[in-house]
Amino acid sequence: MIAKATDADTLPRHDFYWGKEVNLKWTGWIAVGLLVAACSQEDASQKADSTAAEATAPQESAPTTRNAAAGINGARIQAADKEPGNWMAHGRTYDEQRYSPLDAINQETVESLGLAWHWDTNTTRGLEATPIVVDGVMFTTGSWSVVWAHDAKTGELLWEYDPQVPRDWGKYACCDVVNRGVAAWEGRIYVGTIDGRLIALDAATGEVAWDVLTIDKERPYTITGAPRIVKGKVIIGNGGAEYGVRGYITAYDTATGEQQWRFYTVPGNPDQPFENDAMKMAAASWRGTDWWSVGGGGTVWDSMSYDPDLNLLYIGVGNGSPWNRYIRSPGGGDNLFLSSIVALNPDDGSYVWHYQTTPGDTWDYTAVQHMILADIELDGAMRKVIMQAPKNGFFYVLDRTNGEFISAEAYVPVNWATHIDPETGRPVENPEAHYANDTKKIRPAPYGGHNWHPMTYSQKTGLVYIPVLDLPFKYAQDNAFKYNPGEWNTGVDFDTTIPSADPDVVISDLKDVKGHLTAWDPVEQKPVWSIQHDMSWNGGLLSTAGNLVFQGRADGVFAAYAADTGELLWEFPVGNGIIAAPVTYSIDGEQYVSVVAGWGGAYALASGVPRHRDNVLEEGRLLTFKLGGKAELPKTEVTLMKLPDPPALEYTTEQVNAGASLYAQYCSVCHGGGVLSSGTLPDLRYASASVHAAWDAIVRQGAFTSKGMPKFDHVLSEGDAHAVHAYVVETLKGTIGLCESEYRKNYPELLDTACTRPAR
Ligand code: CA
C-alpha cells in the first residue's frame, strides 16, 4: 500500500523536532543492538475525537451489547470452549493457549478474508494489546493506558476511558508507554496504568468503580501488563527493573479494590524481617551487602497463567536490578527468584514451587515471557506441562504440578550457554559469555530470543508457534557504575551500542538482525518449520482450528500461514508495523479476526535498526477482518524526507567521543542507538534548526517536559549536553556520507529507511 504523508498541521508536535525542508542529504550511522529501552515520550496524546469506523453491517441490538462482560466469571472462562465466539481472557483461556476452535475462516476460505472495519486510535506509540471480546463488545487499550470499548461487529466506539497518566511518568517506562490489555469480570473491566494504578471500570459505560495505587511512587515502577482474574481476585505486577526496583505481584478484590495479598519476587534488606519463608530461602542465594538498595529487580511485568484443577497461579519473573550480577551480587549466587517461573497459591499468594531458567542472570534474560499450559503425551504418559520460550533462547517444558524440569532445547542461536543439563535442569554457561573483563558478543540480545509477543499452542497440530527474535548484543561491564536513582541502572556499559565507523561493520551488524516465525514441536524439542521475516520484532500469534496461524509483521502486513506447513496463505498490508497478537471471535454466526497495528515497544525505540520500508504509518489502527469483508483502508501516500543539512556547531573530537558515551547511556534507549530512531520518538538527525538552537533548554532545563522529554540537568552538565549535541551533529554528517556512498545503492533494503524517513 501507499501511505500518505501525515499532514504536518495535524501533528504540530513533530514540527518542532523534525526539519521540514530536507534536501537530499543524509547520513546514517546505524547502531545495532541497544536494548530495551525506555523513554520519554514526545508523542501525541490521544485525541478525544475518534475516527468513525467503516461499518459494513447495520448496527443491531446495540443496547444489549452495552451490558457485555456482565456475566464473566471463573466458571465461564473455564468453560470457554462452550462459547468459542467470545475471547473472555487475555490468552482466551486460563491455560493461555491462544488457540481458537473457530474454523469458518480456514485454510480453504482464508483467501476471501477481507477488512470488515477499522478504527484509528489517534495514537503514535506502540500498541501491544490483546483485545477482550465479550457478547459483541470489544475492549482494548492503547498508549498511555487508555481503554476503548467498541461494538465488535461494526467498530462503533461505545466509550473511551483515559486514566490521564501524567506524561512525565513515561520516562520510567523502559520500553514505550504500552499496555497489553484489560481483564473482564462480572460487569467490570480492569486496567493497569503506566503510573502504577489498577482501575476498575463499569463495562457498560467506562465509569470508574475504583482506582488504587499499586506501587511506591518513590520508585520508578510502571505497569504495562494485562491483569488476570482468578476467583474474584484481580492480579497485577509491574515493571521497572532497568531502573532499579524490587519486583512483586499483588492481588486485589475485584469488588472493592482492597488488597488481598502481595508476593515479592526478590528478598529485601535481610536486616529486616523476611515477608515469608520463600523470601528467607531466596535471600540465601544472594551475596553482597546492599543489593536491596538498587532493588534487586525481578519484576512481573507480563505473563501469568492459571490451572484451576491444581489451583496454581504461574507468574513469570524478570531480570535483576542491576542486570550485571557481578555488581548486583558480588560473590555469585542464583539470586532467586530472578528469571524464574514461580507457582503460587492464588488464594493467599503463598509460594508453591519455582523453576529458574537463568540462575544468576546477568544478560537481562527475563522469564516473563508467555507461559502456555497443555496436557501432552511424553514417553507414553500424559503430562501436565507448562511451556515457555524465555528470553534466554531455550524452549522449556516443565511439569506444572511440581516444577520438575522435563526438557529444554535452543529455539534460536544461543552462545551464552551450551545446553541445559538434563540431570540438574540448569544451564551450562559458556565462559565466553562472561563480560566482567572484556566485551562479549552474546546471543540472544537483551531483547531476548523471544520477548512479550504472545506465542500460541495449536491443539490441532500439537505445535507451539514462536515469534522469534534473532540478534546479538555486545555486553561490557560498566566499571564506573554508581546507582543513579530514576535512571537506567544496568551495570552494563552501553558504549558498545555506539556504531562502528566502518560501514562494512555497520552493514554486517544490520544483516545480523533477523526475525522468524517458528513452529516448534514441544515433544521432540525441535522446529518443524521456520520462516525468516524481513525484519525482527514481529507480532504475537493466534492459531485456530482452521489450520491457521495469524501474525502481523514488522513490515506492516497482517498474514495467515498454514499451521501444519507454514505456507503463506493470505496477506493484508496495513502500512504500520504490527507487534500485538490477534484474536478471533464470532457474532451472529460470523467469524472475525482482529488485531491492533502500532509500531513501537522496546526494540522500535532503542535498537537503532532502521524500520521496514513498508512500515511507514505512525498512527495506530484497530483492524477487524471477516470472510468477504469489503472495507478499505484510506489511500495514503508517503513523502520521504531526506536528512537535513547539518547545523553549524563548533566542537572537538574529544567532545564527540564524550557525547557518544553520554548519548549511549542517557538518550539511546528512547531516541535509538547510534542516533537512528526506528520508533516514533524523534530521530535527532532530523532535528530542526529551532531544536538545535534550544538544545540546552530542551536537554537540561525541561523545555519539552510536557511532551514527555525529561530534563537531564541532574546527570548532564552544560558541557555534557554540548558534547551530546556534537555527537548528534557529527553522526548526521557521517550518515549523510554513508547514504551518498555506494553502500546505499548496494544495500537499499538495509539503508533506504536509515537514509530517509516518512514526512510527518
Ligand atoms: Ca528487562
Side-chain angles (χ1 to χ4, degrees):
M1 76 172 296
I2 304 172
K4 113 184 144 194
T6 303
D7 181 350
D9 292 335
T10 65
L11 297 169
R13 71 206 179 270
H14 291 310
D15 293 354
F16 225 130
Y17 272 92
W18 285 305
K20 305 225 94 184
E21 62 282 298
V22 211
N23 21 39
L24 275 227
K25 298 240 174 172
W26 194 141
T27 346
W29 263 181
I30 297 124
V32 171
L34 216 267
L35 351 175
V36 191
C39 309
S40 51
Q41 19 280 37
E42 299 112 37
D43 69 313
S45 306
Q46 279 87 14
K47 294 178 203 157
D49 54 322
S50 299
T51 309
E54 291 178 26
T56 55
Q59 189 184 336
E60 59 184 30
S61 61
T64 62
T65 67
R66 303 301 195 269
N67 293 321
I72 291 291
N73 53 40
R76 203 170 157 194
I77 295 174
Q78 286 181 51
D81 284 353
K82 293 201 175 117
E83 43 178 324
N86 287 324
W87 189 285
M88 295 183 285
H90 189 64
R92 194 181 79 84
T93 46
Y94 275 138
D95 52 28
E96 305 251 342
Q97 293 182 356
R98 291 178 177 265
Y99 168 81
S100 172
L102 297 179
D103 63 359
I105 300 169
N106 57 49
Q107 60 184 340
E108 307 300 330
T109 62
V110 71
E111 63 180 0
S112 70
L113 194 61
L115 189 65
W117 56 265
H118 78 274
W119 182 80
D120 291 345
T121 60
N122 285 305
T123 62
T124 59
R125 302 291 292 267
L127 298 177
E128 299 186 351
T130 295
I132 297 291
V133 184
V134 183
D135 302 338
V137 179
M138 177 183 296
F139 303 93
T140 191
T141 60
S143 320
W144 299 106
S145 329
V146 171
V147 184
W148 299 296
H150 287 85
D151 183 313
K153 182 168 183 165
T154 67
E156 179 199 359
L157 181 69
L158 304 178
W159 54 257
E160 173 180 86
Y161 169 72
D162 184 345
Q164 302 289 339
V165 173
R167 289 327 190 226
D168 62 357
W169 201 261
K171 70 184 177 187
Y172 299 134
C174 74
C175 308
D176 206 352
V177 290
V178 292
N179 185 281
R180 296 189 201 90
V182 301
W185 192 266
E186 294 182 346
R188 286 182 180 164
I189 296 300
Y190 298 83
V191 65
T193 66
I194 274 285
D195 59 343
R197 289 174 288 155
L198 181 66
I199 299 174
L201 304 171
D202 185 308
T205 63
E207 285 166 20
V208 175
W210 52 256
D211 179 339
V212 299
L213 184 64
T214 73
I215 62 168
D216 171 3
K217 293 209 82 162
E218 297 302 310
R219 286 282 194 167
Y221 288 101
T222 51
I223 297 176
T224 57
R228 310 297 202 278
I229 301 180
V230 170
K231 296 163 123 181
K233 296 181 178 65
V234 54
I235 302 161
I236 193 73
N238 47 57
E242 271 55 60
Y243 299 80
V245 297
R246 183 186 181 196
Y248 60 84
I249 185 166
T250 316
Y252 297 86
D253 185 295
T254 50
T256 64
E258 186 185 347
Q259 182 175 321
Q260 302 294 294
W261 53 257
R262 174 165 292 176
F263 179 81
Y264 286 95
T265 55
V266 297
N269 185 341
D271 291 340
Q272 306 291 322
F274 294 112
E275 286 86 357
N276 50 49
D277 287 346
M279 284 300 95
K280 191 176 175 187
M281 171 178 76
S285 68
W286 291 69
R287 309 280 184 271
T289 56
D290 67 344
W291 73 79
W292 55 91
S293 64
V294 180
T299 50
V300 184
W301 55 263
D302 192 54
S303 180
M304 294 178 239
S305 51
Y306 169 59
D307 185 325
D309 295 330
L310 297 171
N311 195 37
L312 290 178
L313 173 73
Y314 306 96
I315 63 170
V317 182
N319 58 277
S321 296
W323 291 357
N324 187 329
R325 68 185 178 202
Y326 306 107
I327 295 171
R328 186 182 67 238
S329 183
D334 287 353
N335 293 188
L336 295 173
F337 295 104
L338 297 182
S339 305
S340 299
I341 296 172
V342 180
L344 301 176
N345 179 335
D347 298 331
D348 58 8
S350 59
Y351 165 91
V352 180
W353 61 254
H354 77 277
Y355 175 82
Q356 190 173 37
T357 61
T358 311
D361 169 47
T362 194
W363 305 278
D364 188 20
Y365 287 164
T366 69
V368 301
Q369 281 58 51
H370 185 188
M371 297 175 291
I372 293 176
L373 313 184
D375 295 350
I376 63 176
E377 189 177 326
L378 292 168
D379 296 328
M382 289 304 289
R383 300 288 297 269
K384 292 177 180 293
V385 304
I386 181 168
M387 300 182 285
Q388 189 189 47
K391 278 189 183 178
N392 77 11
F394 290 94
F395 186 93
Y396 291 83
V397 179
L398 309 177
D399 183 324
R400 74 172 178 273
T401 67
N402 57 15
E404 178 197 335
F405 173 83
I406 296 176
S407 63
E409 293 293 340
Y411 62 87
V412 67
V414 162
N415 69 357
W416 72 275
T418 57
H419 63 290
I420 309 300
D421 184 321
E423 298 304 317
T424 64
R426 292 176 66 93
V428 178
E429 287 187 8
N430 180 352
E432 279 302 297
H434 300 165
Y435 57 85
N437 299 314
D438 292 304
T439 300
K440 296 289 171 57
K441 188 173 178 179
I442 307 295
R443 292 174 181 276
Y447 298 107
H450 167 226
N451 206 295
W452 60 267
H453 315 80
M455 311 190 293
T456 179
Y457 170 76
S458 167
Q459 294 177 9
K460 197 163 178 130
T461 63
L463 303 177
V464 176
Y465 301 85
I466 316 170
V468 173
L469 312 174
D470 183 1
L471 68 164
F473 183 77
K474 291 171 192 156
Y475 291 83
Q477 177 151 305
D478 178 3
N479 288 314
F481 177 77
K482 180 170 109 0
Y483 175 46
N484 203 345
E487 299 299 324
W488 276 50
N489 287 288
T490 62
V492 168
D493 186 349
F494 281 11
D495 277 6
T496 61
T497 66
I498 300 169
S500 170
D502 180 346
D504 287 323
V505 175
V506 170
I507 296 294
S508 165
D509 284 350
L510 282 179
K511 286 180 169 175
D512 218 5
V513 178
K514 305 184 193 78
H516 313 277
L517 169 57
T518 297
W520 188 265
D521 182 339
V523 177
E524 298 294 326
Q525 285 283 20
K526 64 179 189 188
V528 173
W529 54 259
S530 187
I531 294 165
Q532 184 173 323
H533 292 325
D534 282 357
M535 290 290 199
S536 201
W537 203 248
N538 297 285
L541 303 173
L542 161 72
S543 65
T544 74
N547 190 35
L548 297 174
V549 173
F550 286 92
Q551 183 179 35
R553 302 190 310 235
D555 61 356
V557 171
F558 188 47
Y561 302 85
D564 54 354
T565 65
E567 181 187 354
L568 175 63
L569 298 175
W570 173 84
E571 287 187 306
F572 192 97
V574 304
N576 192 329
I578 299 172
I579 52 178
V583 299
T584 187
Y585 56 94
S586 66
I587 299 173
D588 300 336
E590 192 162 35
Q591 186 183 354
Y592 297 81
V593 177
S594 288
V595 70
V596 289
W599 183 245
Y603 171 95
L605 297 192
S607 69
V609 177
R611 58 205 280 165
H612 193 278
R613 64 175 82 177
D614 296 329
N615 175 7
V616 292
L617 288 178
E618 257 196 334
E619 288 69 28
R621 249 174 204 161
L622 172 54
L623 301 131
T624 294
F625 300 85
K626 66 174 184 176
L627 295 177
K630 294 281 190 287
E632 291 180 5
L633 292 174
K635 290 271 181 278
T636 51
E637 58 188 51
V638 72
T639 302
L640 293 178
M641 297 168 66
K642 306 296 177 56
L643 286 159
D645 286 333
L649 187 74
E650 291 189 10
Y651 52 79
T652 64
T653 303
E654 288 71 26
Q655 287 172 320
V656 170
N657 291 338
S661 280
L662 293 166
Y663 179 92
Q665 175 66 25
Y666 296 111
C667 317
S668 64
V669 292
C670 292
H671 292 286
V675 203
L676 184 120
S677 169
S678 56
T680 53
L681 294 183
D683 186 319
L684 299 178
R685 299 171 307 161
Y686 290 86
S688 64
S690 59
V691 165
H692 286 296
W695 191 267
D696 195 76
I698 295 166
V699 173
R700 298 181 66 245
Q701 300 166 40
F704 283 178
T705 49
S706 65
K707 298 166 184 268
M709 167 65 190
K711 61 206 277 273
F712 284 89
D713 58 338
H714 59 298
V715 286
L716 298 179
S717 68
E718 194 175 343
D720 291 340
H722 182 75
V724 172
H725 199 183
Y727 171 64
V728 167
V729 172
E730 185 68 10
T731 302
L732 170 61
K733 291 175 183 172
T735 313
I736 289 169
L738 179 66
C739 293
E740 289 177 345
S741 72
E742 289 298 303
Y743 288 95
R744 172 77 184 277
K745 244 180 278 169
N746 294 340
Y747 301 100
E749 74 285 0
L750 295 176
L751 292 181
D752 274 2
T753 53
C755 295
T756 56
R757 74 173 295 131
R760 307 293 190 209

